[in-house]
Amino acid sequence: MKRRKVLRQNDNRPIGIFDSGVGGLTVVKELAGILPREDIVYYGDTARVPYGTKSSNTIVRFSIENALFLLKQNVKLIVVACNTSSSVALPALKRNFKVPIVGVIHPGACDAVKACRNSRIGVIGTTATIKSDAYSRQIKRISASMKVYSRGCPLLAPAIEESLDDDRLMTDIIRYYLDPLKKMRIDTLVLGCTHYPIIKGLIAKVLGRQTNLVDSAKSTSAHVKELLTQSMLLSSSRSKGRIKFFVSDETQNFKRIGERFLNKRIDHIRKVVYGI
């Protein structure tokens, strides 16, 4: 009887993640949870946030610069944890770099189609993400019968970063954006911004238990794990992975908000100039 050959996973290079600011830390949290032995390098382009109001050309340029910085950190894979960058710049990134690059749009779209029961899906995100129509195109590519209703929510991410303690005020903002989608009888909502998982509980209360919420941070992290496994790129380390944080502007605000997003202390953050 032949012994089954065991394939070894031995790529101990870190996973690179970038976002325009702190939102991508929800992806960091999910990845660290399902891949605890992987090192992670996170870059937040806090000097140029928000990306959601920028032109497509500018978003592509910023995204390429962010990827170049991560490649200097010898990463084995890049996660574009910014929905705006994923919706606008992902094709350009894949054309320019050989390293595997994962965006947040496709994984979220796949999970939305799987979860939907009545063929009516809602998507919320930044103005640029919604304007790009990236989620709608991906969802309809997977299942042409799906109807997609999108809504830009420019006030939500800033409100989350301000750490509003008044749930009533945050709930009013959520209702303002989601009431039109409720009228469309959606049964699944894609949280098309990595900030939004922070207020997932409040969104669920507004929409009701019958509505499925698709967390793009969770969807993306599961996709990254599957890709690393299939590509033989998992770390062979037996110790807990380390996370390095880089930002392009002052560190204190990132630390304050980031610790809330990660629900843990951040000890070391390094400021770099525009990532390059």
Side-chain angles (χ1 to χ4, degrees), residues 112-132:
V113 171
K114 288 177 186 175
C116 190
R117 302 178 303 272
N118 71 354
S119 299
R120 304 172 81 86
I121 297 174
V123 179
I124 55 174
T126 66
T127 302
T129 297
I130 299 305
K131 187 177 178 181
S132 74

Side-chain angles (χ1 to χ4, degrees), residues 26-27 30 34 107 111 197 200 214-223:
T26 56
V27 179
E30 293 294 337
I34 65 172
D111 282 356
K200 189 159 57 174
V214 175
D215 179 342
S216 56
K218 279 190 175 183
S219 301
T220 302
S221 298
H223 181 71

Side-chain angles (χ1 to χ4, degrees), residues 164-223:
L164 289 180
D165 293 324
D166 189 338
D167 280 358
R168 289 179 300 174
L169 179 56
M170 183 65 82
T171 299
D172 285 343
I173 297 172
I174 294 169
R175 280 204 179 101
Y176 172 75
Y177 287 126
L178 294 189
D179 278 352
L181 296 181
K182 286 179 72 174
K183 291 176 182 178
M184 295 297 106
R185 295 183 289 110
I186 62 167
D187 79 352
T188 300
L189 178 71
V190 178
L191 306 181
C193 173
T194 45
H195 281 71
Y196 299 168
I198 299 297
I199 56 167
K200 189 159 57 174
L202 291 177
I203 292 173
K205 284 183 180 179
V206 169
L207 290 178
R209 294 180 180 177
Q210 74 281 2
T211 305
N212 302 305
L213 297 185
V214 175
D215 179 342
S216 56
K218 279 190 175 183
S219 301
T220 302
S221 298
H223 181 71

Side-chain angles (χ1 to χ4, degrees), residues 7 9 35 222-234:
L7 300 176
Q9 312 279 348
L35 293 171
H223 181 71
V224 168
K225 181 178 181 180
E226 182 180 1
L227 179 58
L228 291 178
T229 303
Q230 291 175 350
S231 303
M232 302 289 293
L233 293 174
L234 286 172

Side-chain angles (χ1 to χ4, degrees), residues 3-261:
R3 295 183 66 183
R4 188 176 180 181
K5 187 177 180 181
V6 178
L7 300 176
R8 297 183 63 190
Q9 312 279 348
N10 57 3
D11 194 327
N12 294 339
R13 291 177 296 163
I15 298 169
I17 302 175
F18 79 78
D19 186 21
S20 59
V22 298
L25 292 177
T26 56
V27 179
V28 172
K29 185 177 181 179
E30 293 294 337
L31 267 179
I34 65 172
L35 293 171
R37 295 180 180 177
E38 296 288 343
D39 289 339
I40 295 172
V41 176
Y42 182 86
Y43 177 64
D45 191 11
T46 49
R48 304 188 290 196
V49 68
Y51 282 11
T53 56
K54 305 291 193 298
S55 70
S56 295
N57 287 341
T58 298
I59 293 166
V60 169
R61 176 165 60 86
F62 288 177
S63 300
I64 288 175
E65 290 173 357
N66 298 342
L68 285 170
F69 171 73
L70 289 176
L71 289 173
K72 288 182 180 180
Q73 312 309 308
N74 194 33
V75 299
K76 61 187 173 185
L77 177 145
I78 293 175
V79 180
V80 184
C82 173
N83 277 269
T84 301
S85 287
S86 290
S87 62
V88 175
L90 197 62
L93 290 169
K94 290 187 173 183
R95 282 196 307 270
N96 280 277
F97 304 109
K98 293 181 179 179
V99 66
I101 298 176
V102 175
V104 292
I105 305 291
H106 181 71
C110 288
D111 282 356
V113 171
K114 288 177 186 175
C116 190
R117 302 178 303 272
N118 71 354
S119 299
R120 304 172 81 86
I121 297 174
V123 179
I124 55 174
T126 66
T127 302
T129 297
I130 299 305
K131 187 177 178 181
S132 74
D133 209 30
Y135 272 106
S136 181
R137 290 198 310 270
Q138 279 289 348
I139 288 168
K140 289 182 179 180
R141 245 180 232 136
I142 299 164
S143 177
S145 64
M146 293 290 168
K147 294 180 180 178
V148 183
Y149 304 93
S150 302
R151 180 92 158 125
C153 306
L155 290 177
L156 265 188
I160 293 166
E161 289 196 9
E162 285 301 315
S163 305
L164 289 180
D165 293 324
D166 189 338
D167 280 358
R168 289 179 300 174
L169 179 56
M170 183 65 82
T171 299
D172 285 343
I173 297 172
I174 294 169
R175 280 204 179 101
Y176 172 75
Y177 287 126
L178 294 189
D179 278 352
L181 296 181
K182 286 179 72 174
K183 291 176 182 178
M184 295 297 106
R185 295 183 289 110
I186 62 167
D187 79 352
T188 300
L189 178 71
V190 178
L191 306 181
C193 173
T194 45
H195 281 71
Y196 299 168
I198 299 297
I199 56 167
K200 189 159 57 174
L202 291 177
I203 292 173
K205 284 183 180 179
V206 169
L207 290 178
R209 294 180 180 177
Q210 74 281 2
T211 305
N212 302 305
L213 297 185
V214 175
D215 179 342
S216 56
K218 279 190 175 183
S219 301
T220 302
S221 298
H223 181 71
V224 168
K225 181 178 181 180
E226 182 180 1
L227 179 58
L228 291 178
T229 303
Q230 291 175 350
S231 303
M232 302 289 293
L233 293 174
L234 286 172
S235 172
S236 61
S237 173
R238 294 185 179 181
S239 59
K240 187 176 181 180
R242 296 171 298 170
I243 306 175
K244 293 182 179 179
F245 300 96
F246 296 88
V247 294
S248 57
D249 202 0
E250 62 90 16
T251 61
Q252 283 305 113
N253 197 47
F254 180 90
K255 176 178 170 64
R256 175 181 64 83
I257 302 170
E259 287 181 343
R260 177 170 171 253
F261 275 41

